[in-house]
Amino acid sequence: MTLSAPTPALDWRSADAVPSSLPMPELFLGALRPGMRVLDVGCGEAWIGCEVERCGVRYVGVDVNRASLARASSRRLVVAGEGGRLPFGDRVFDMVMLRAVLTVLVDEGELADVLREAFRVCRGVVGIQDFLQTWENPVYSARYEEGLRLTGRHGVFPVREGGTLLYWARHFTLDELSGLIAQAGGDVAEVVEGPSPTRSGNLIRGVALLASPQV
């Protein structure tokens, strides 16, 4: 479902930089083994690649943001590509990471495509790290309520800066996220919930999980 709401100012494809607030979860690090091939979807400047490579794995990053890829290319193996049309064959990565990627995919079709592609290219586990709805935080409950008024959808809300609509974001419930993964061809295997820092410096509910492609 495409939003019938105001158009945001920020385009992730052409932005000067793609912010990242999330540290690499221990759940992901614990699943890595030397020799694995790891794909980082929405890698930005691929800073997390250094931490991943220390585990003895082969890291590949993919992103739509050319400026971030240009800065990352001197340090890591990165390629340009859409998360919903990954430029790789079937079952070629041992881990596919989606870290704070789904949160900016408010279009249902686009989100479904990205999840399906992650499971298509994966022969091991897909690691998803993202934000959960935090209604107990008054800042976010107000944002969710505004988003519901504007879009009719739960968990979708506008992110503003200085009165300007930067982009639309989405926070999930765990049941919702698990259902989307199942529809895309995955089975959730492990889940860890905990506090997660946001781009704006807030601390809200977050989740890291590992899911396997359905057989």
Side-chain angles (χ1 to χ4, degrees):
M1 179 187 299
T2 303
L3 285 179
S4 56
T7 302
L10 183 60
D11 184 341
W12 297 113
R13 292 166 175 78
S14 58
D16 292 335
V18 178
S20 176
S21 62
L22 296 178
M24 182 73 169
E26 291 297 326
L27 180 64
F28 292 10
L29 291 173
L32 297 177
R33 299 292 181 270
M36 280 184 168
R37 296 189 70 204
V38 175
L39 178 65
D40 186 7
V41 179
C43 66
E45 296 187 29
W47 290 112
I48 208 71
C50 180
E51 188 172 2
V52 172
E53 288 176 341
R54 282 200 294 267
C55 297
V57 307
R58 292 171 288 171
Y59 173 94
V60 180
V62 62
D63 206 294
V64 296
N65 186 273
R66 300 277 181 164
S68 293
L69 291 177
R71 290 188 287 269
S73 60
S74 62
R75 303 184 304 270
R76 305 268 98 78
L77 175 59
V78 293
V79 298
E82 297 272 354
R85 296 189 301 274
L86 292 173
F88 307 104
D90 296 349
R91 298 177 56 82
V92 292
F93 291 99
D94 300 291
M95 178 184 283
V96 178
M97 299 190 298
L98 297 165
R99 302 177 56 255
V101 169
L102 304 184
T103 188
V104 296
L105 301 179
V106 295
D107 182 277
E108 296 284 5
E110 186 179 5
L111 186 146
D113 288 344
V114 168
L115 282 173
R116 278 195 296 265
E117 279 291 275
F119 286 109
R120 179 185 67 80
V121 303
C122 180
R123 62 190 177 203
V125 292
V126 172
I128 295 173
Q129 183 182 21
D130 226 298
F131 302 105
L132 298 177
Q133 292 178 23
T134 310
W135 283 91
E136 63 271 24
N137 183 316
V139 171
Y140 282 89
S141 63
R143 291 181 182 180
Y144 301 149
E145 288 167 359
E146 180 188 12
L148 184 60
R149 288 196 304 271
L150 292 171
T151 70
R153 296 172 58 188
H154 293 278
V156 174
F157 61 96
V159 177
R160 295 189 173 91
E161 190 171 279
T164 299
L165 174 61
L166 286 184
Y167 60 93
W168 289 92
R170 176 178 187 173
H171 292 171
F172 303 88
T173 67
L174 186 55
D175 285 345
E176 176 188 25
L177 189 55
S178 298
L180 291 167
I181 289 168
Q183 291 171 19
D187 291 319
V188 175
E190 296 184 66
V191 177
V192 175
E193 294 187 51
S196 291
T198 69
R199 181 192 67 89
S200 55
N202 295 309
L203 200 63
I204 64 172
R205 294 179 61 214
V207 66
L209 62 84
L210 296 176
S212 302
Q214 294 170 357
V215 178

mmCIF file with all atom_site columns, all heavy atoms in Angstrom, residues 125-142:
data_model
loop_
_atom_site.group_PDB
_atom_site.id
_atom_site.type_symbol
_atom_site.label_atom_id
_atom_site.label_alt_id
_atom_site.label_comp_id
_atom_site.label_asym_id
_atom_site.label_entity_id
_atom_site.label_seq_id
_atom_site.pdbx_PDB_ins_code
_atom_site.Cartn_x
_atom_site.Cartn_y
_atom_site.Cartn_z
_atom_site.occupancy
_atom_site.B_iso_or_equiv
_atom_site.pdbx_formal_charge
_atom_site.auth_seq_id
_atom_site.auth_comp_id
_atom_site.auth_asym_id
_atom_site.auth_atom_id
_atom_site.pdbx_PDB_model_num
ATOM 1   N N   . VAL A 1 125 ? 20.956 -17.850 7.281  1.00 0.00 ? 125 VAL A N   1
ATOM 2   C CA  . VAL A 1 125 ? 20.000 -17.100 8.094  1.00 0.00 ? 125 VAL A CA  1
ATOM 3   C C   . VAL A 1 125 ? 19.914 -15.658 7.608  1.00 0.00 ? 125 VAL A C   1
ATOM 4   O O   . VAL A 1 125 ? 20.878 -15.099 7.102  1.00 0.00 ? 125 VAL A O   1
ATOM 5   C CB  . VAL A 1 125 ? 20.370 -17.100 9.599  1.00 0.00 ? 125 VAL A CB  1
ATOM 6   C CG1 . VAL A 1 125 ? 20.219 -18.492 10.186 1.00 0.00 ? 125 VAL A CG1 1
ATOM 7   C CG2 . VAL A 1 125 ? 21.773 -16.559 9.823  1.00 0.00 ? 125 VAL A CG2 1
ATOM 8   N N   . VAL A 1 126 ? 18.734 -15.093 7.781  1.00 0.00 ? 126 VAL A N   1
ATOM 9   C CA  . VAL A 1 126 ? 18.512 -13.667 7.569  1.00 0.00 ? 126 VAL A CA  1
ATOM 10  C C   . VAL A 1 126 ? 18.440 -13.013 8.940  1.00 0.00 ? 126 VAL A C   1
ATOM 11  O O   . VAL A 1 126 ? 17.659 -13.437 9.797  1.00 0.00 ? 126 VAL A O   1
ATOM 12  C CB  . VAL A 1 126 ? 17.219 -13.401 6.771  1.00 0.00 ? 126 VAL A CB  1
ATOM 13  C CG1 . VAL A 1 126 ? 16.912 -11.906 6.727  1.00 0.00 ? 126 VAL A CG1 1
ATOM 14  C CG2 . VAL A 1 126 ? 17.341 -13.962 5.363  1.00 0.00 ? 126 VAL A CG2 1
ATOM 15  N N   . GLY A 1 127 ? 19.273 -12.007 9.161  1.00 0.00 ? 127 GLY A N   1
ATOM 16  C CA  . GLY A 1 127 ? 19.270 -11.279 10.420 1.00 0.00 ? 127 GLY A CA  1
ATOM 17  C C   . GLY A 1 127 ? 18.556 -9.946  10.258 1.00 0.00 ? 127 GLY A C   1
ATOM 18  O O   . GLY A 1 127 ? 18.954 -9.135  9.410  1.00 0.00 ? 127 GLY A O   1
ATOM 19  N N   . ILE A 1 128 ? 17.523 -9.724  11.043 1.00 0.00 ? 128 ILE A N   1
ATOM 20  C CA  . ILE A 1 128 ? 16.749 -8.481  10.972 1.00 0.00 ? 128 ILE A CA  1
ATOM 21  C C   . ILE A 1 128 ? 16.887 -7.753  12.297 1.00 0.00 ? 128 ILE A C   1
ATOM 22  O O   . ILE A 1 128 ? 16.655 -8.320  13.365 1.00 0.00 ? 128 ILE A O   1
ATOM 23  C CB  . ILE A 1 128 ? 15.272 -8.768  10.662 1.00 0.00 ? 128 ILE A CB  1
ATOM 24  C CG1 . ILE A 1 128 ? 15.144 -9.376  9.255  1.00 0.00 ? 128 ILE A CG1 1
ATOM 25  C CG2 . ILE A 1 128 ? 14.439 -7.491  10.776 1.00 0.00 ? 128 ILE A CG2 1
ATOM 26  C CD1 . ILE A 1 128 ? 13.759 -9.856  8.917  1.00 0.00 ? 128 ILE A CD1 1
ATOM 27  N N   . GLN A 1 129 ? 17.284 -6.497  12.208 1.00 0.00 ? 129 GLN A N   1
ATOM 28  C CA  . GLN A 1 129 ? 17.412 -5.640  13.384 1.00 0.00 ? 129 GLN A CA  1
ATOM 29  C C   . GLN A 1 129 ? 16.595 -4.377  13.122 1.00 0.00 ? 129 GLN A C   1
ATOM 30  O O   . GLN A 1 129 ? 16.846 -3.666  12.148 1.00 0.00 ? 129 GLN A O   1
ATOM 31  C CB  . GLN A 1 129 ? 18.884 -5.282  13.619 1.00 0.00 ? 129 GLN A CB  1
ATOM 32  C CG  . GLN A 1 129 ? 19.145 -4.449  14.866 1.00 0.00 ? 129 GLN A CG  1
ATOM 33  C CD  . GLN A 1 129 ? 20.611 -4.092  15.017 1.00 0.00 ? 129 GLN A CD  1
ATOM 34  O OE1 . GLN A 1 129 ? 21.363 -4.114  14.046 1.00 0.00 ? 129 GLN A OE1 1
ATOM 35  N NE2 . GLN A 1 129 ? 21.034 -3.762  16.221 1.00 0.00 ? 129 GLN A NE2 1
ATOM 36  N N   . ASP A 1 130 ? 15.607 -4.122  13.981 1.00 0.00 ? 130 ASP A N   1
ATOM 37  C CA  . ASP A 1 130 ? 14.739 -2.986  13.691 1.00 0.00 ? 130 ASP A CA  1
ATOM 38  C C   . ASP A 1 130 ? 14.042 -2.512  14.969 1.00 0.00 ? 130 ASP A C   1
ATOM 39  O O   . ASP A 1 130 ? 14.355 -2.972  16.068 1.00 0.00 ? 130 ASP A O   1
ATOM 40  C CB  . ASP A 1 130 ? 13.734 -3.341  12.596 1.00 0.00 ? 130 ASP A CB  1
ATOM 41  C CG  . ASP A 1 130 ? 13.642 -2.242  11.543 1.00 0.00 ? 130 ASP A CG  1
ATOM 42  O OD1 . ASP A 1 130 ? 13.259 -1.112  11.904 1.00 0.00 ? 130 ASP A OD1 1
ATOM 43  O OD2 . ASP A 1 130 ? 13.963 -2.502  10.372 1.00 0.00 ? 130 ASP A OD2 1
ATOM 44  N N   . PHE A 1 131 ? 13.099 -1.606  14.782 1.00 0.00 ? 131 PHE A N   1
ATOM 45  C CA  . PHE A 1 131 ? 12.442 -0.938  15.904 1.00 0.00 ? 131 PHE A CA  1
ATOM 46  C C   . PHE A 1 131 ? 11.029 -1.481  16.121 1.00 0.00 ? 131 PHE A C   1
ATOM 47  O O   . PHE A 1 131 ? 10.301 -1.758  15.160 1.00 0.00 ? 131 PHE A O   1
ATOM 48  C CB  . PHE A 1 131 ? 12.375 0.563   15.650 1.00 0.00 ? 131 PHE A CB  1
ATOM 49  C CG  . PHE A 1 131 ? 13.723 1.195   15.435 1.00 0.00 ? 131 PHE A CG  1
ATOM 50  C CD1 . PHE A 1 131 ? 14.119 1.573   14.164 1.00 0.00 ? 131 PHE A CD1 1
ATOM 51  C CD2 . PHE A 1 131 ? 14.598 1.385   16.494 1.00 0.00 ? 131 PHE A CD2 1
ATOM 52  C CE1 . PHE A 1 131 ? 15.364 2.144   13.951 1.00 0.00 ? 131 PHE A CE1 1
ATOM 53  C CE2 . PHE A 1 131 ? 15.842 1.950   16.294 1.00 0.00 ? 131 PHE A CE2 1
ATOM 54  C CZ  . PHE A 1 131 ? 16.231 2.332   15.024 1.00 0.00 ? 131 PHE A CZ  1
ATOM 55  N N   . LEU A 1 132 ? 10.649 -1.579  17.382 1.00 0.00 ? 132 LEU A N   1
ATOM 56  C CA  . LEU A 1 132 ? 9.311  -2.007  17.754 1.00 0.00 ? 132 LEU A CA  1
ATOM 57  C C   . LEU A 1 132 ? 8.505  -0.820  18.266 1.00 0.00 ? 132 LEU A C   1
ATOM 58  O O   . LEU A 1 132 ? 9.070  0.153   18.787 1.00 0.00 ? 132 LEU A O   1
ATOM 59  C CB  . LEU A 1 132 ? 9.375  -3.081  18.845 1.00 0.00 ? 132 LEU A CB  1
ATOM 60  C CG  . LEU A 1 132 ? 10.077 -4.392  18.475 1.00 0.00 ? 132 LEU A CG  1
ATOM 61  C CD1 . LEU A 1 132 ? 10.113 -5.323  19.686 1.00 0.00 ? 132 LEU A CD1 1
ATOM 62  C CD2 . LEU A 1 132 ? 9.389  -5.073  17.295 1.00 0.00 ? 132 LEU A CD2 1
ATOM 63  N N   . GLN A 1 133 ? 7.200  -0.903  18.123 1.00 0.00 ? 133 GLN A N   1
ATOM 64  C CA  . GLN A 1 133 ? 6.341  0.177   18.605 1.00 0.00 ? 133 GLN A CA  1
ATOM 65  C C   . GLN A 1 133 ? 6.529  0.360   20.110 1.00 0.00 ? 133 GLN A C   1
ATOM 66  O O   . GLN A 1 133 ? 6.545  -0.607  20.875 1.00 0.00 ? 133 GLN A O   1
ATOM 67  C CB  . GLN A 1 133 ? 4.884  -0.128  18.277 1.00 0.00 ? 133 GLN A CB  1
ATOM 68  C CG  . GLN A 1 133 ? 4.585  -0.096  16.794 1.00 0.00 ? 133 GLN A CG  1
ATOM 69  C CD  . GLN A 1 133 ? 3.151  -0.449  16.462 1.00 0.00 ? 133 GLN A CD  1
ATOM 70  O OE1 . GLN A 1 133 ? 2.257  -0.328  17.297 1.00 0.00 ? 133 GLN A OE1 1
ATOM 71  N NE2 . GLN A 1 133 ? 2.916  -0.895  15.224 1.00 0.00 ? 133 GLN A NE2 1
ATOM 72  N N   . THR A 1 134 ? 6.688  1.612   20.505 1.00 0.00 ? 134 THR A N   1
ATOM 73  C CA  . THR A 1 134 ? 6.983  1.956   21.898 1.00 0.00 ? 134 THR A CA  1
ATOM 74  C C   . THR A 1 134 ? 5.925  2.939   22.392 1.00 0.00 ? 134 THR A C   1
ATOM 75  O O   . THR A 1 134 ? 6.165  4.138   22.556 1.00 0.00 ? 134 THR A O   1
ATOM 76  C CB  . THR A 1 134 ? 8.407  2.558   22.006 1.00 0.00 ? 134 THR A CB  1
ATOM 77  O OG1 . THR A 1 134 ? 9.339  1.695   21.340 1.00 0.00 ? 134 THR A OG1 1
ATOM 78  C CG2 . THR A 1 134 ? 8.831  2.711   23.454 1.00 0.00 ? 134 THR A CG2 1
ATOM 79  N N   . TRP A 1 135 ? 4.736  2.421   22.615 1.00 0.00 ? 135 TRP A N   1
ATOM 80  C CA  . TRP A 1 135 ? 3.603  3.266   22.987 1.00 0.00 ? 135 TRP A CA  1
ATOM 81  C C   . TRP A 1 135 ? 3.782  3.882   24.370 1.00 0.00 ? 135 TRP A C   1
ATOM 82  O O   . TRP A 1 135 ? 3.174  4.914   24.669 1.00 0.00 ? 135 TRP A O   1
ATOM 83  C CB  . TRP A 1 135 ? 2.316  2.456   22.932 1.00 0.00 ? 135 TRP A CB  1
ATOM 84  C CG  . TRP A 1 135 ? 1.826  2.237   21.535 1.00 0.00 ? 135 TRP A CG  1
ATOM 85  C CD1 . TRP A 1 135 ? 2.126  1.194   20.715 1.00 0.00 ? 135 TRP A CD1 1
ATOM 86  C CD2 . TRP A 1 135 ? 0.982  3.104   20.778 1.00 0.00 ? 135 TRP A CD2 1
ATOM 87  N NE1 . TRP A 1 135 ? 1.517  1.345   19.493 1.00 0.00 ? 135 TRP A NE1 1
ATOM 88  C CE2 . TRP A 1 135 ? 0.802  2.511   19.502 1.00 0.00 ? 135 TRP A CE2 1
ATOM 89  C CE3 . TRP A 1 135 ? 0.344  4.318   21.053 1.00 0.00 ? 135 TRP A CE3 1
ATOM 90  C CZ2 . TRP A 1 135 ? 0.023  3.100   18.517 1.00 0.00 ? 135 TRP A CZ2 1
ATOM 91  C CZ3 . TRP A 1 135 ? -0.428 4.901   20.074 1.00 0.00 ? 135 TRP A CZ3 1
ATOM 92  C CH2 . TRP A 1 135 ? -0.581 4.298   18.828 1.00 0.00 ? 135 TRP A CH2 1
ATOM 93  N N   . GLU A 1 136 ? 4.593  3.272   25.207 1.00 0.00 ? 136 GLU A N   1
ATOM 94  C CA  . GLU A 1 136 ? 4.782  3.813   26.551 1.00 0.00 ? 136 GLU A CA  1
ATOM 95  C C   . GLU A 1 136 ? 5.616  5.099   26.555 1.00 0.00 ? 136 GLU A C   1
ATOM 96  O O   . GLU A 1 136 ? 5.674  5.803   27.569 1.00 0.00 ? 136 GLU A O   1
ATOM 97  C CB  . GLU A 1 136 ? 5.430  2.766   27.463 1.00 0.00 ? 136 GLU A CB  1
ATOM 98  C CG  . GLU A 1 136 ? 6.822  2.319   27.042 1.00 0.00 ? 136 GLU A CG  1
ATOM 99  C CD  . GLU A 1 136 ? 6.812  1.146   26.080 1.00 0.00 ? 136 GLU A CD  1
ATOM 100 O OE1 . GLU A 1 136 ? 5.801  0.944   25.370 1.00 0.00 ? 136 GLU A OE1 1
ATOM 101 O OE2 . GLU A 1 136 ? 7.848  0.440   26.038 1.00 0.00 ? 136 GLU A OE2 1
ATOM 102 N N   . ASN A 1 137 ? 6.286  5.394   25.440 1.00 0.00 ? 137 ASN A N   1
ATOM 103 C CA  . ASN A 1 137 ? 7.047  6.623   25.312 1.00 0.00 ? 137 ASN A CA  1
ATOM 104 C C   . ASN A 1 137 ? 6.117  7.697   24.725 1.00 0.00 ? 137 ASN A C   1
ATOM 105 O O   . ASN A 1 137 ? 5.633  7.549   23.605 1.00 0.00 ? 137 ASN A O   1
ATOM 106 C CB  . ASN A 1 137 ? 8.247  6.396   24.392 1.00 0.00 ? 137 ASN A CB  1
ATOM 107 C CG  . ASN A 1 137 ? 9.133  7.623   24.257 1.00 0.00 ? 137 ASN A CG  1
ATOM 108 O OD1 . ASN A 1 137 ? 8.660  8.738   24.101 1.00 0.00 ? 137 ASN A OD1 1
ATOM 109 N ND2 . ASN A 1 137 ? 10.438 7.404   24.298 1.00 0.00 ? 137 ASN A ND2 1
ATOM 110 N N   . PRO A 1 138 ? 5.846  8.787   25.473 1.00 0.00 ? 138 PRO A N   1
ATOM 111 C CA  . PRO A 1 138 ? 4.874  9.779   24.994 1.00 0.00 ? 138 PRO A CA  1
ATOM 112 C C   . PRO A 1 138 ? 5.270  10.445  23.675 1.00 0.00 ? 138 PRO A C   1
ATOM 113 O O   . PRO A 1 138 ? 4.396  10.837  22.894 1.00 0.00 ? 138 PRO A O   1
ATOM 114 C CB  . PRO A 1 138 ? 4.798  10.806  26.135 1.00 0.00 ? 138 PRO A CB  1
ATOM 115 C CG  . PRO A 1 138 ? 6.026  10.574  26.958 1.00 0.00 ? 138 PRO A CG  1
ATOM 116 C CD  . PRO A 1 138 ? 6.361  9.116   26.817 1.00 0.00 ? 138 PRO A CD  1
ATOM 117 N N   . VAL A 1 139 ? 6.563  10.579  23.419 1.00 0.00 ? 139 VAL A N   1
ATOM 118 C CA  . VAL A 1 139 ? 7.007  11.158  22.150 1.00 0.00 ? 139 VAL A CA  1
ATOM 119 C C   . VAL A 1 139 ? 6.549  10.278  20.990 1.00 0.00 ? 139 VAL A C   1
ATOM 120 O O   . VAL A 1 139 ? 6.001  10.761  19.986 1.00 0.00 ? 139 VAL A O   1
ATOM 121 C CB  . VAL A 1 139 ? 8.544  11.323  22.128 1.00 0.00 ? 139 VAL A CB  1
ATOM 122 C CG1 . VAL A 1 139 ? 9.021  11.724  20.732 1.00 0.00 ? 139 VAL A CG1 1
ATOM 123 C CG2 . VAL A 1 139 ? 8.977  12.353  23.153 1.00 0.00 ? 139 VAL A CG2 1
ATOM 124 N N   . TYR A 1 140 ? 6.738  8.968   21.154 1.00 0.00 ? 140 TYR A N   1
ATOM 125 C CA  . TYR A 1 140 ? 6.404  8.057   20.057 1.00 0.00 ? 140 TYR A CA  1
ATOM 126 C C   . TYR A 1 140 ? 4.913  7.735   19.996 1.00 0.00 ? 140 TYR A C   1
ATOM 127 O O   . TYR A 1 140 ? 4.371  7.541   18.901 1.00 0.00 ? 140 TYR A O   1
ATOM 128 C CB  . TYR A 1 140 ? 7.269  6.795   20.138 1.00 0.00 ? 140 TYR A CB  1
ATOM 129 C CG  . TYR A 1 140 ? 8.652  7.089   19.616 1.00 0.00 ? 140 TYR A CG  1
ATOM 130 C CD1 . TYR A 1 140 ? 9.642  7.563   20.472 1.00 0.00 ? 140 TYR A CD1 1
ATOM 131 C CD2 . TYR A 1 140 ? 8.951  6.972   18.267 1.00 0.00 ? 140 TYR A CD2 1
ATOM 132 C CE1 . TYR A 1 140 ? 10.893 7.892   19.995 1.00 0.00 ? 140 TYR A CE1 1
ATOM 133 C CE2 . TYR A 1 140 ? 10.197 7.292   17.775 1.00 0.00 ? 140 TYR A CE2 1
ATOM 134 C CZ  . TYR A 1 140 ? 11.167 7.755   18.645 1.00 0.00 ? 140 TYR A CZ  1
ATOM 135 O OH  . TYR A 1 140 ? 12.413 8.099   18.154 1.00 0.00 ? 140 TYR A OH  1
ATOM 136 N N   . SER A 1 141 ? 4.251  7.711   21.128 1.00 0.00 ? 141 SER A N   1
ATOM 137 C CA  . SER A 1 141 ? 2.800  7.483   21.070 1.00 0.00 ? 141 SER A CA  1
ATOM 138 C C   . SER A 1 141 ? 2.134  8.625   20.317 1.00 0.00 ? 141 SER A C   1
ATOM 139 O O   . SER A 1 141 ? 1.194  8.404   19.530 1.00 0.00 ? 141 SER A O   1
ATOM 140 C CB  . SER A 1 141 ? 2.220  7.337   22.475 1.00 0.00 ? 141 SER A CB  1
ATOM 141 O OG  . SER A 1 141 ? 2.380  8.525   23.240 1.00 0.00 ? 141 SER A OG  1
ATOM 142 N N   . ALA A 1 142 ? 2.620  9.858   20.512 1.00 0.00 ? 142 ALA A N   1
ATOM 143 C CA  . ALA A 1 142 ? 2.069  10.997  19.775 1.00 0.00 ? 142 ALA A CA  1
ATOM 144 C C   . ALA A 1 142 ? 2.354  10.858  18.279 1.00 0.00 ? 142 ALA A C   1
ATOM 145 O O   . ALA A 1 142 ? 1.503  11.183  17.440 1.00 0.00 ? 142 ALA A O   1
ATOM 146 C CB  . ALA A 1 142 ? 2.648  12.307  20.312 1.00 0.00 ? 142 ALA A CB  1
#
